[in-house]
CSV table of all heavy atoms in Angstrom, one decimal:
chain,number,residue,atom,x,y,z
A,555,LEU,N,1.3,15.1,-2.4
A,555,LEU,CA,0.0,15.8,-2.2
A,555,LEU,C,-0.1,16.3,-0.7
A,555,LEU,O,-0.7,17.4,-0.5
A,555,LEU,CB,-1.2,14.8,-2.4
A,555,LEU,CG,-1.4,14.3,-3.8
A,555,LEU,CD1,-2.4,13.2,-3.9
A,555,LEU,CD2,-1.8,15.5,-4.7
A,556,MET,N,0.6,15.7,0.2
A,556,MET,CA,0.5,16.1,1.6
A,556,MET,C,1.2,17.5,1.7
A,556,MET,O,0.8,18.3,2.6
A,556,MET,CB,1.2,15.1,2.5
A,556,MET,CG,1.1,15.3,4.0
A,556,MET,SD,2.0,14.2,5.0
A,556,MET,CE,1.6,12.6,4.3
A,557,PHE,N,2.2,17.7,0.9
A,557,PHE,CA,3.0,18.9,1.1
A,557,PHE,C,2.6,20.1,0.2
A,557,PHE,O,3.3,21.1,0.1
A,557,PHE,CB,4.5,18.6,1.0
A,557,PHE,CG,5.0,17.6,2.1
A,557,PHE,CD1,5.6,16.5,1.7
A,557,PHE,CD2,4.7,17.9,3.4
A,557,PHE,CE1,6.0,15.5,2.7
A,557,PHE,CE2,5.0,16.9,4.4
A,557,PHE,CZ,5.7,15.8,4.0
A,558,LEU,N,1.6,19.9,-0.6
A,558,LEU,CA,1.0,20.9,-1.4
A,558,LEU,C,0.0,21.7,-0.6
A,558,LEU,O,-0.8,21.1,0.1
A,558,LEU,CB,0.3,20.4,-2.7
A,558,LEU,CG,1.2,19.8,-3.7
A,558,LEU,CD1,0.3,19.2,-4.8
A,558,LEU,CD2,2.2,20.8,-4.3
A,559,ASP,N,0.1,23.0,-0.6
A,559,ASP,CA,-1.0,23.8,0.1
A,559,ASP,C,-2.3,23.8,-0.7
A,559,ASP,O,-3.3,23.8,-0.1
A,559,ASP,CB,-0.5,25.2,0.3
A,559,ASP,CG,0.7,25.3,1.3
A,559,ASP,OD1,0.6,24.5,2.3
A,559,ASP,OD2,1.5,26.2,1.2
A,560,HIS,N,-2.2,23.8,-2.0
A,560,HIS,CA,-3.4,23.6,-2.8
A,560,HIS,C,-3.7,22.1,-3.0
A,560,HIS,O,-2.8,21.3,-2.8
A,560,HIS,CB,-3.3,24.3,-4.1
A,560,HIS,CG,-2.4,23.6,-5.1
A,560,HIS,ND1,-1.0,23.7,-4.9
A,560,HIS,CD2,-2.6,22.9,-6.2
A,560,HIS,CE1,-0.4,23.1,-5.9
A,560,HIS,NE2,-1.3,22.5,-6.7
A,561,ASP,N,-4.9,21.7,-3.4
A,561,ASP,CA,-5.2,20.3,-3.5
A,561,ASP,C,-5.7,20.1,-4.9
A,561,ASP,O,-6.8,20.4,-5.3
A,561,ASP,CB,-6.3,20.0,-2.5
A,561,ASP,CG,-6.6,18.4,-2.4
A,561,ASP,OD1,-5.9,17.7,-3.2
A,561,ASP,OD2,-7.4,18.0,-1.6
A,562,PRO,N,-4.8,19.5,-5.8
A,562,PRO,CA,-5.2,19.2,-7.2
A,562,PRO,C,-6.2,18.1,-7.3
A,562,PRO,O,-6.9,17.9,-8.4
A,562,PRO,CB,-3.9,18.8,-7.8
A,562,PRO,CG,-3.1,18.3,-6.7
A,562,PRO,CD,-3.4,19.0,-5.5
A,563,LEU,N,-6.4,17.3,-6.2
A,563,LEU,CA,-7.3,16.1,-6.3
A,563,LEU,C,-8.3,16.2,-5.1
A,563,LEU,O,-8.2,15.3,-4.2
A,563,LEU,CB,-6.6,14.8,-6.3
A,563,LEU,CG,-5.6,14.6,-7.5
A,563,LEU,CD1,-4.8,13.3,-7.3
A,563,LEU,CD2,-6.4,14.5,-8.8
A,564,PRO,N,-9.1,17.2,-5.0
A,564,PRO,CA,-9.9,17.4,-3.7
A,564,PRO,C,-10.9,16.2,-3.5
A,564,PRO,O,-11.4,15.6,-4.5
A,564,PRO,CB,-10.7,18.7,-4.0
A,564,PRO,CG,-10.6,18.9,-5.5
A,564,PRO,CD,-9.4,18.2,-6.0
A,565,MET,N,-11.2,16.0,-2.3
A,565,MET,CA,-12.1,14.8,-1.9
A,565,MET,C,-13.5,14.9,-2.4
A,565,MET,O,-14.2,13.9,-2.5
A,565,MET,CB,-12.1,14.7,-0.4
A,565,MET,CG,-10.7,14.2,0.2
A,565,MET,SD,-10.7,14.2,2.0
A,565,MET,CE,-9.1,13.6,2.3
A,566,ASP,N,-13.9,16.1,-2.8
A,566,ASP,CA,-15.3,16.2,-3.3
A,566,ASP,C,-15.4,16.1,-4.8
A,566,ASP,O,-16.4,16.1,-5.4
A,566,ASP,CB,-15.9,17.6,-2.9
A,566,ASP,CG,-15.1,18.8,-3.4
A,566,ASP,OD1,-14.0,18.6,-3.8
A,566,ASP,OD2,-15.7,19.9,-3.5
A,567,LYS,N,-14.2,15.8,-5.4
A,567,LYS,CA,-14.1,15.6,-6.9
A,567,LYS,C,-13.4,14.3,-7.3
A,567,LYS,O,-13.7,13.9,-8.4
A,567,LYS,CB,-13.4,16.8,-7.5
A,567,LYS,CG,-14.2,18.1,-7.4
A,567,LYS,CD,-13.6,19.2,-8.2
A,567,LYS,CE,-14.5,20.5,-8.3
A,567,LYS,NZ,-15.0,21.0,-7.0
A,568,TYR,N,-12.6,13.8,-6.4
A,568,TYR,CA,-11.9,12.5,-6.8
A,568,TYR,C,-11.9,11.6,-5.6
A,568,TYR,O,-12.0,11.9,-4.5
A,568,TYR,CB,-10.4,12.9,-7.1
A,568,TYR,CG,-10.2,13.6,-8.4
A,568,TYR,CD1,-10.2,15.0,-8.5
A,568,TYR,CD2,-10.0,12.9,-9.6
A,568,TYR,CE1,-10.0,15.7,-9.7
A,568,TYR,CE2,-9.9,13.6,-10.8
A,568,TYR,CZ,-9.9,15.0,-10.8
A,568,TYR,OH,-9.7,15.6,-12.0
A,569,VAL,N,-11.8,10.3,-6.0
A,569,VAL,CA,-11.7,9.2,-5.0
A,569,VAL,C,-10.5,8.3,-5.5
A,569,VAL,O,-10.4,8.0,-6.7
A,569,VAL,CB,-13.0,8.4,-4.9
A,569,VAL,CG1,-12.8,7.3,-3.9
A,569,VAL,CG2,-14.2,9.2,-4.6
A,570,PHE,N,-9.6,7.9,-4.6
A,570,PHE,CA,-8.5,7.1,-4.9
A,570,PHE,C,-8.9,5.6,-4.8
A,570,PHE,O,-9.6,5.2,-3.8
A,570,PHE,CB,-7.3,7.3,-3.9
A,570,PHE,CG,-6.7,8.6,-4.1
A,570,PHE,CD1,-6.9,9.6,-3.1
A,570,PHE,CD2,-5.8,8.9,-5.1
A,570,PHE,CE1,-6.3,10.9,-3.3
A,570,PHE,CE2,-5.2,10.1,-5.3
A,570,PHE,CZ,-5.4,11.1,-4.3
A,571,ASN,N,-8.5,4.8,-5.7
A,571,ASN,CA,-8.6,3.3,-5.5
A,571,ASN,C,-7.5,2.9,-4.6
A,571,ASN,O,-6.8,3.7,-4.0
A,571,ASN,CB,-8.5,2.6,-6.9
A,571,ASN,CG,-7.1,2.3,-7.4
A,571,ASN,OD1,-6.1,2.9,-7.0
A,571,ASN,ND2,-7.0,1.3,-8.2
A,572,THR,N,-7.4,1.6,-4.3
A,572,THR,CA,-6.5,1.1,-3.2
A,572,THR,C,-5.1,1.2,-3.6
A,572,THR,O,-4.2,1.0,-2.8
A,572,THR,CB,-6.9,-0.3,-2.9
A,572,THR,OG1,-6.3,-0.7,-1.6
A,572,THR,CG2,-6.5,-1.3,-4.0
A,573,GLU,N,-4.8,1.6,-4.9
A,573,GLU,CA,-3.4,1.8,-5.4
A,573,GLU,C,-3.1,3.3,-5.6
A,573,GLU,O,-2.2,3.6,-6.3
A,573,GLU,CB,-3.2,1.0,-6.7
A,573,GLU,CG,-1.8,0.8,-7.1
A,573,GLU,CD,-1.0,-0.3,-6.3
A,573,GLU,OE1,-1.6,-1.0,-5.5
A,573,GLU,OE2,0.2,-0.5,-6.7
A,574,ALA,N,-4.0,4.1,-5.0
A,574,ALA,CA,-3.8,5.6,-5.1
A,574,ALA,C,-4.0,6.1,-6.5
A,574,ALA,O,-3.5,7.2,-6.8
A,574,ALA,CB,-2.5,6.1,-4.5
A,575,HIS,N,-4.8,5.4,-7.3
A,575,HIS,CA,-5.2,5.9,-8.6
A,575,HIS,C,-6.5,6.7,-8.5
A,575,HIS,O,-7.5,6.2,-8.0
A,575,HIS,CB,-5.3,4.8,-9.6
A,575,HIS,CG,-4.0,4.1,-9.9
A,575,HIS,ND1,-2.8,4.8,-10.2
A,575,HIS,CD2,-3.6,2.8,-9.8
A,575,HIS,CE1,-1.8,3.9,-10.3
A,575,HIS,NE2,-2.3,2.7,-10.1
A,576,ALA,N,-6.4,7.9,-9.0
A,576,ALA,CA,-7.5,8.9,-8.7
A,576,ALA,C,-8.6,8.7,-9.8
A,576,ALA,O,-8.3,8.9,-11.0
A,576,ALA,CB,-7.0,10.3,-8.7
A,577,PHE,N,-9.9,8.5,-9.4
A,577,PHE,CA,-11.0,8.4,-10.3
A,577,PHE,C,-11.9,9.6,-10.0
A,577,PHE,O,-12.2,9.9,-8.8
A,577,PHE,CB,-11.8,7.1,-10.1
A,577,PHE,CG,-11.0,5.9,-10.4
A,577,PHE,CD1,-11.5,4.6,-9.9
A,577,PHE,CD2,-9.8,5.9,-11.0
A,577,PHE,CE1,-10.9,3.5,-10.2
A,577,PHE,CE2,-9.1,4.7,-11.3
A,577,PHE,CZ,-9.6,3.5,-10.9
A,578,PRO,N,-12.4,10.3,-11.0
A,578,PRO,CA,-13.3,11.4,-10.7
A,578,PRO,C,-14.7,10.9,-10.3
A,578,PRO,O,-15.2,9.9,-10.6
A,578,PRO,CB,-13.4,12.1,-12.1
A,578,PRO,CG,-13.1,11.0,-13.1
A,578,PRO,CD,-12.2,10.1,-12.4
A,579,ILE,N,-15.3,11.8,-9.4
A,579,ILE,CA,-16.7,11.5,-8.9
A,579,ILE,C,-17.6,11.8,-10.0
A,579,ILE,O,-17.5,12.9,-10.7
A,579,ILE,CB,-16.9,12.3,-7.7
A,579,ILE,CG1,-16.1,11.7,-6.5
A,579,ILE,CG2,-18.4,12.2,-7.3
A,579,ILE,CD1,-16.2,12.5,-5.2
A,580,PHE,N,-18.6,10.9,-10.3
A,580,PHE,CA,-19.6,11.1,-11.3
A,580,PHE,C,-21.0,10.7,-10.8
A,580,PHE,O,-21.1,10.2,-9.7
A,580,PHE,CB,-19.3,10.3,-12.6
A,580,PHE,CG,-19.3,8.8,-12.4
A,580,PHE,CD1,-20.4,8.1,-12.5
A,580,PHE,CD2,-18.1,8.2,-12.0
A,580,PHE,CE1,-20.4,6.7,-12.3
A,580,PHE,CE2,-18.1,6.8,-11.8
A,580,PHE,CZ,-19.2,6.1,-11.9
A,581,GLU,N,-22.0,10.9,-11.6
A,581,GLU,CA,-23.3,10.5,-11.2
A,581,GLU,C,-23.9,9.6,-12.3
A,581,GLU,O,-23.8,9.9,-13.5
A,581,GLU,CB,-24.3,11.7,-11.0
A,581,GLU,CG,-23.9,12.5,-9.7
A,581,GLU,CD,-25.0,13.5,-9.4
A,581,GLU,OE1,-26.1,13.4,-10.0
A,581,GLU,OE2,-24.7,14.4,-8.5
Side-chain angles (χ1 to χ4, degrees):
L555 292 171
M556 191 187 309
F557 300 125
L558 290 177
D559 289 328
H560 71 285
D561 190 356
L563 300 172
M565 291 176 178
D566 61 342
K567 291 184 170 57
Y568 289 90
V569 183
F570 291 106
N571 85 337
T572 195
E573 195 80 0
H575 296 308
F577 298 165
I579 291 173
F580 62 88
E581 291 190 12

